[in-house]
Amino acid sequence: MAAHPVDEKLPALKMVTSGLQHVAAMYAGVVAPPLIVGAAIGLSGAGLTFLTGACLFTAGLATFLQTLGIWKIGARLPFVNGVTFAGVAPMTAIVASAENRSDALPVIFGAVIVAGFLGFLAAPVFCKAIRFFPPVVTGTVITLIGVSLLPVAFGWAQGPDPTASDYGSATHLTVAGITLALVVLLRRFTRGFVKQIAVLLGLVAGTVVAIPFGATDFGPVADAAVIGFPTPFHFGAPRFHLAAILSMCVVMVVSMTESTADMLALGEIVERPADERTIAAGLRADTLGSALSPLFSGFMCSAFAQNIGLVAMTRVRSRYVVATGGGFLVLMGLCPMAASLIAVVPRPVLGGAGVVLFGSVAVSGIQTLVRAGLDQDGNALIVAVSLAVGIIPIAAPHFYHAFPQTARIVLDSGISTGCVAAVLLNLVFNHLGRGRDTRDLSGPRETGEEIAGARTATAH
């Protein structure tokens, strides 16, 4: 019996190039949080380099946990793990509240360790929420994931520094547009292996195209060291402050909510629906990876939604490809010079490719919504209101400015607010006061039931 595409081991060259695509797609997302927090603390260039390398290293370890798995840990899906951006706001708040900013990192690390272990213990309970994620909910959340990520791509397209005079210049937008066009043309006019690595080829070609525009900087390669192991407790032993722990626990809940939605989305895309056991194992990998990350000076880890778009677009579903990408992340953490090669890719080039990647996620959500029975008024209203709520932080970033910082950790995440709204509305319209109707696509169903039903219908 042939192995499921998720468990397929591809030829070495394809494994390496496809793994590099995943690294290229998520690199900017991994390095942004340590750069932001490190800058807030006032770390030196060497300190920033070390913190960034540590986050790459721990992201690779967390990806190993998620893709390869041990015991009941790891979803064993093509899932990339890295530093969650949800933690940036509370971490910078911890920095701002510290009497001595040099003490902030140990406090952050202590809070992440506690939040990670508490999340690990809560995973078996948290995963039972899957029965409240029918297609009308998962389709809405997947769509929101794609829509929420698109502004990231648009920001990348404008340049690396929002405060720079050339941010959003015609040069940056032209480079982004050329990269987007290259990826689209490669997807349209090539076949097989070349078509599958269209994003990687587009990134390489876009980087070359950016050289005459002066947008490609090879300085990071020249300045980077060859070897740099992230030694444990480099910035000091963890410290445990209650306020910091509570704020990071809130981030952990947000992260687990988004990871659950991401696993459901990825399960649909790779045609291996995520059940309670898979989600529990995936959440254990997220939370354990987060708890161990501070030992090597890394931050809280979570699933990277942008890589779901890459899986959806390329249809390369092997978890071993993503594990290979995790191997590259570990090597980058151990070899700053290797990490700097990815850093050479200009931000506008990443933005051009990101439009395709993140748009693919939104399309996957729309495809799921097609099966959700939107001809029913209740389901149409669930999607309408949930999408509107989820888009608020995107369309009006300061909408919740009057709320406490702790509440804004959740409210400023369109994925989290949209997910909560969809779950609550689904409860109101399809659960409360109604008996279970297994013929109703909007009601609670066993994972994969809707796919099986659709296949049966097609077969007949």
Side-chain angles (χ1 to χ4, degrees), residues 94 98 103-112 237-241 244-245 248:
I94 292 171
D103 296 332
L105 277 177
V107 173
I108 290 171
F109 294 149
V112 171
R239 300 182 184 180
F240 303 96
H241 291 189
I245 290 171
M248 296 312 294

Side-chain angles (χ1 to χ4, degrees), residues 4 54 64 83 92 128 131 177 209 214 227 255 307 340 348 375 382 410-411:
H4 190 281
F64 285 153
V83 181
T92 53
K128 295 186 182 300
R131 67 185 297 266
V209 168
I227 299 176
S255 175
N307 292 79
S340 67
D375 55 324
I382 290 171
V410 178
L411 296 174

